[in-house]
Each structure stands twice: as C-alpha cells, then as structure tokens.
Amino acid sequence: MIPCPFEYYAPTTVAEAIELLERFGDEARILAGGHSLLPAMKLRLAAPAVLIDITRIAELRGISTEGMVRIGATTTWSEIEGHAGLRRAVPALPEAVSLIGDLQVRNRGTLGGALAHADPAADAPAVVLALDARIEARGPTGERSIPVDGFFTDMLTTALQPAEVLTAVVMSPLGAGEGAAYVKYRHPASGYAIVGVAAYVKLTDGQVSACRLAVTGAGPMAVRRSGVEHALLGTDGSSAAIAAAAAIASEGMDILDDLHAGEEYRRAMVNVHARRALAAAVERARSRI
Amino acid sequence: MPVISLTVNGKTCIGEVEPRTLLVHYLREQLNLTGTHIGCDTSQCGACVVHLNGASVKACTVLAVQADGATITTIEGLAQNGQLHPLQEGFWQQHGLQCGFCTPGMIMAAADLLQRNPHPTDEAIRRGLEGNLCRCTGYENIVRAVRYAAEKLRAPTGAASEV
C-alpha cells in the first residue's frame, strides 16, 4: 500500500511551518511521528497534497521537569516512557504511555501528534485531561495556551486553528497529597483503548479536595466526567465513596457501539474502570502525603 | 524529486526518492536489501523492523524522506566479520523459526529490546516483542532464542549455556 503522491516539506523552524500551513491551507497536513497519519494515507483514507514534517524543528522536541512539566510536541512515546523526571513528577503519564501500541510504535509516535490527531481510542487525551494540562500552540497571530478541557471538540477534531502548530504540552507536577492513575481495557489485537480512564485526586486532611476524571475509548472523543468529580469531592475517598461516584461515570455520556464492544457493555466498562482508576489515584495520593 | 542520504549498515547511500516512497520499499527495491520483509503492511506484524538511529521502527510506516540523514541497520548489517550476531545464533540454536518470514523483524526488535534491557525476564521478552507476529512457532522458541542471546551478550567471551 502506497500513499497518494504529495509534496514534502521539512521546515526547521515553527515560523516556516506556519508559513507553509498558511500557503497550502486545507491541502496540507502536519506530519510528526506519522503513526496515525501514514497508515491512513496508505489506506487512502487521507490524501493530503502536502506534508509538513515538523520533526526537524529542534525546539519542538524534549522534556523539561524544572518547575512546570513541559513536553515538546514531537517528543516520542519512548522518550516519555523512559524519562526519570517524568516518572517522579507525573508518573501516570509514562505509565499510560507504556501501554500504547508496541515498542516500534512508541519509538515513532509523539505526544503532540496524538493530541492533535484526537483519535477517540488514544490513551494520552484522557491522561492530559486528568492532569489538567495546557496545550501550547503557535499560529500566524502568535502563541496561545489552550486548556486541555475543551481542546477535544469532536471525533478527530480539536480546538487548533487551521494554521496553528501544537508546540508543547504543559502541566503541573504532582505534589503532596496528589495522586493520578490511568487504567485501560486494551483491545487485544490493536492495543487501542476499548475504554481508558484517567483519574486525579488531591487529599487535604483526609478529604478529597480536588478530583478529575477523564474517559477515552468509549465515546467519539476523550471527555471529563464532572458528575463523578463532584460526587467524590468532600468525601474521605473510601471504597464506598469511590464506588458511589464511579457508578455514574457513564451517565449521559455519548458512547460508541461497534463490533469490539456494544454500547451497553462499554457503558458498564466505563464505570468499572472509573472505579479502578479512582481507587488507584486515591491510594497514590495517600502515599504521597 | 528529493535526494536523501542514509547510512545503511555502515555504507553511505545517496538516492532520489519520491516523497511517498516508504522506507521499506527504498531498502528493498533501491538498495536491494531484501532481508527486511513486508508482512501486513499496516504496522501490525513487525516483519519490516529495522533500526533507525539505533531505535527499532516499522519501516512500512516511515517515509524514506523522513529518514534522510539517519543511520539505518537492517538484518543484513547485524553479523560482523562473518560472525553471526548472538540473536541470529540464538534463533538458529533454539529453533526460533520455521518458515523464517518474521525472523528478520523479530531479531531486529529483539536487538532493540536487549539494548534497553540486557536482563529481560521471559515476560519482558514477550512484552518487548509485542509488535512482532509469528504464525509458526507459538513464540516459545523465540523467547528461548532471545534468552540465549541475552546470556551470550552478557558473557561475550564464553559460550551461552544450554537453556
């Protein structure tokens, strides 16, 4: 399988990439690791006339954990998985990343690419939602920082503007009393999430003072579940409190139905995995006090 | 057409490519390195695994132009001075193949696994080879072959013990 012909550009600065996006408009697609886009192009599901490879832009790659955690858009999964600073600051992220695809996929695939692609079954969107990250993007009018809550607007669709380049993902390191976890029901063949749930919990004086829960795989896009979050706030984070909160995780949620998992089953799995993710996050929050 | 320069198995290779040329096609059809196989062609099976700047990748999901300037190692570059790599020897000794179609990719993936983790448990070997499918062996002997190579690589002067 060979993609349709296209023109290939490999700019070395973000400014050049933005210029190319402005010049070619809808005809152009950004290429990072290519592990979503190239398979789609080989199947001729996508046929962009122009590819703009951003992996030769040095400033887009790398991880910093001094103060805020900052991960450049074209940083690969393998780099995230093996980063000691990230394992201390936001352990749920490298753990979730280790569940993506296989070693070869993780050697090429990138965080920024996955977030911009917004595959409904990707793992990273749920994790960055639970960690309340911000997406940095640069476009013709300058730079902006987008809260990740609201960034995923529909299936394969984000809040990025047409000529914007996603440059980095920024989040706070976890501190005392904070814990986060990601649990995944993995499709045995593809490795994608049938359901994936990421949870973040903060405990203050033994009570849940902050909570975020995000679900991927189950619906057209990764979403926060504010009903669960509110239900857990102010409780002691006991298993009974978690069970009660998780029981409403899929309530009112738009759920996919396909040959891998029917709607009713997926809905049930969202609740089960919400409970497991919250329990793991609370346990970690307790051990970080 | 873009001109790319790769260092493949230690040799500099400069050539013109159409941007849509996949790395695996470039290696097989332009450089005649047919040891790298095409299996599923959908980044699932791992028959096309090569090393790009030292990391294993599926060459069916990399454009040749993306690899411009990179160092590539294929299965043909693994043996040194006529001496099989311990993984090649391991697959031979432990009967890690039947038809052999998956073997080049399996060995290149295993080489990446062993450089990341020189002391893998059987579980780590199985997990590390998640991206490689074999329809013949049932994997048991592949795990043995990788274990054999891990031992041999840890004790480069002595022979690996029979496992």
Side-chain angles (χ1 to χ4, degrees), chain A residues 1 3 42 98 102 107, chain B residues 20 41 56 58 60 66 127:
Chain A
M1 295 184 298
K42 287 172 67 182
S98 73
D102 52 51
N107 279 341
Chain B
R20 62 174 171 164
D41 205 6
S56 57
K58 291 181 172 170
C60 76
Q66 284 179 292
R127 203 159 172 251

Side-chain angles (χ1 to χ4, degrees), chain A residues 44-126:
Chain A
R44 309 271 172 127
L45 298 171
V50 174
L51 279 190
I52 304 168
D53 180 351
I54 59 167
T55 59
R56 295 185 195 264
I57 304 175
E59 69 159 300
L60 294 185
R61 190 157 186 165
I63 298 167
S64 156
T65 52
E66 302 291 311
M68 293 293 277
V69 171
R70 191 170 191 285
I71 304 172
T74 62
T75 308
T76 65
W77 300 127
S78 288
E79 286 159 351
I80 291 170
E81 191 182 356
H83 195 273
L86 282 181
R87 290 193 165 271
R88 281 190 299 274
V90 281
L93 180 64
E95 282 167 19
V97 163
S98 73
L99 303 174
I100 294 172
D102 52 51
L103 175 58
Q104 290 72 41
V105 169
R106 295 193 295 276
N107 279 341
R108 293 295 292 170
T110 67
L111 176 61
L115 298 183
H117 183 63
D119 190 295
D123 301 288

Side-chain angles (χ1 to χ4, degrees), chain A residues 3-4 6 34 37 55 67 90 128 156 176 186 216 236 247 250 265 279-280 285:
Chain A
C4 290
F6 54 85
L37 183 55
T55 59
V90 281
V128 295
L156 305 172
R186 195 175 195 263
T216 190
D236 58 357
S250 64
Y265 180 61

Side-chain angles (χ1 to χ4, degrees), chain A residues 1-8 31-35 38-39 42-44 51 53 55-56 78 81 98-108 186 189-190, chain B residues 2 18-22 25 40-44 46 49 52 55-58 60-63 65-69 108-109 112-113 116 127-128 130-132:
Chain A
M1 295 184 298
I2 295 166
C4 290
F6 54 85
E7 278 182 63
Y8 172 85
L31 175 69
H35 272 50
L38 293 177
K42 287 172 67 182
L43 292 167
R44 309 271 172 127
L51 279 190
D53 180 351
T55 59
R56 295 185 195 264
S78 288
E81 191 182 356
S98 73
L99 303 174
I100 294 172
D102 52 51
L103 175 58
Q104 290 72 41
V105 169
R106 295 193 295 276
N107 279 341
R108 293 295 292 170
R186 195 175 195 263
S190 73
Chain B
E18 222 193 320
R20 62 174 171 164
T21 307
L22 300 169
H25 291 139
C40 69
D41 205 6
T42 55
S43 27
Q44 311 276 326
V49 171
L52 191 155
S56 57
V57 302
K58 291 181 172 170
C60 76
T61 312
V62 177
L63 300 169
V65 284
Q66 284 179 292
D68 185 21
M108 296 313 287
D112 193 6
L113 155 69
R116 284 161 203 271
R127 203 159 172 251
E130 234 171 1
N132 296 75

